[in-house]
Amino acid sequence: TFLPVLEHMYIYPECTKIICKKVFEIFEHRSEGFSINFSLSDIQNDDTRLFLFALFEKYPETASRCTIELLENEAVIDFKRVNDFFNLLKRYKVKSALDDFGAGFSNFAYLFNLHIDYIKIDGSIIQRLDDPKMAKLAKTIVTMAHDLEIQTIAEFVSDPMLLRHCQNIGIDLLQGYAIGYPAPHP
């Protein structure tokens, strides 16, 4: 809830850099993959981008386990600029994802115009997979993504029935309480 307020303040870019630095310091000593959410304004901020790429240089092995997720809080107007950013990520073996696909500003044109590795299907779709229309929509998203060699991730997979629905329509990766609850690292 604080991010939309913070995003309009002058300190937002500095907060983004502090969080990214802390994440890389923590994951340098761990083995899991991890994601960092970036807004369009983060991608467009030259200082933030340069800071992120400096982290990739300093922590190359850690960077190879990182995925940058583009948030759906504003429409992408300049696909070239965003793709230039995503293409730079690939140099460091960093993956890219489109978060909350099917909600907000995302649309199928994003799949054709952005060079991404994953799309995360929004929880509002996943949580309604028992509705035949929503299941058909999710299957269409999965088919289109797979045709474009993009992996799919289901958000909010909260129970065994949703897990089966996701598996039946061919979603590649799942996240939610049916998979596991948040827990501290041992």
Side-chain angles (χ1 to χ4, degrees):
T1 58
F2 69 91
L3 282 177
V5 174
L6 187 63
E7 193 170 18
H8 299 291
M9 300 176 75
Y10 71 95
I11 61 171
Y12 177 77
E14 289 307 311
C15 291
T16 299
K17 291 190 283 189
I18 289 168
I19 291 169
C20 288
K21 183 176 185 279
K22 288 190 177 297
V23 166
F24 269 79
E25 289 171 351
I26 290 168
F27 278 91
E28 177 186 25
H29 305 290
R30 296 177 62 161
S31 60
E32 305 94 344
F34 62 97
S35 296
I36 300 174
N37 290 347
F38 253 51
S39 68
L40 197 54
S41 61
D42 292 324
I43 291 172
Q44 293 172 336
N45 183 300
D46 293 335
D47 194 42
T48 301
R49 270 195 339 272
L50 289 172
F51 185 83
L52 183 67
F53 289 117
L55 287 174
F56 295 162
E57 292 280 342
K58 183 174 181 179
Y59 303 100
E61 194 281 325
T62 306
S64 71
R65 293 182 281 112
C66 179
T67 299
I68 299 295
E69 295 184 19
L70 177 60
L71 296 172
E72 283 300 290
N73 57 352
E74 53 190 305
V76 173
I77 308 284
D78 187 354
F79 285 106
K80 182 184 179 328
R81 184 173 179 125
V82 175
N83 273 327
D84 288 348
F85 174 76
F86 287 158
N87 288 332
L88 283 171
L89 294 179
K90 290 180 188 341
R91 288 187 191 171
Y92 296 95
K93 299 181 180 152
V94 174
K95 301 287 187 195
S96 58
L98 184 59
D99 197 20
D100 299 330
F101 188 83
F105 292 95
S106 66
N107 62 54
F108 282 100
Y110 279 37
L111 298 183
F112 293 102
N113 291 306
L114 294 175
H115 305 138
I116 54 176
D117 298 296
Y118 306 102
I119 59 167
K120 294 179 76 174
I121 302 171
D122 190 67
S124 65
I125 296 170
I126 298 302
Q127 291 176 323
R128 294 179 52 207
L129 286 179
D130 57 343
D131 176 339
K133 287 183 180 180
M134 279 298 170
K136 185 169 266 209
L137 173 61
K139 180 65 176 166
T140 301
I141 292 169
V142 169
T143 300
M144 179 76 67
H146 288 169
D147 285 349
L148 296 169
E149 299 179 10
I150 300 170
Q151 287 194 296
T152 53
I153 302 170
E155 299 181 318
F156 295 96
V157 182
S158 57
D159 59 56
M161 184 188 309
L162 280 179
L163 187 132
R164 282 191 301 280
H165 284 310
C166 290
Q167 291 171 328
N168 288 340
I169 62 174
I171 295 174
D172 300 298
L173 302 165
L174 310 170
Q175 70 182 67
Y177 294 150
I179 308 304
Y181 286 89
H185 189 277

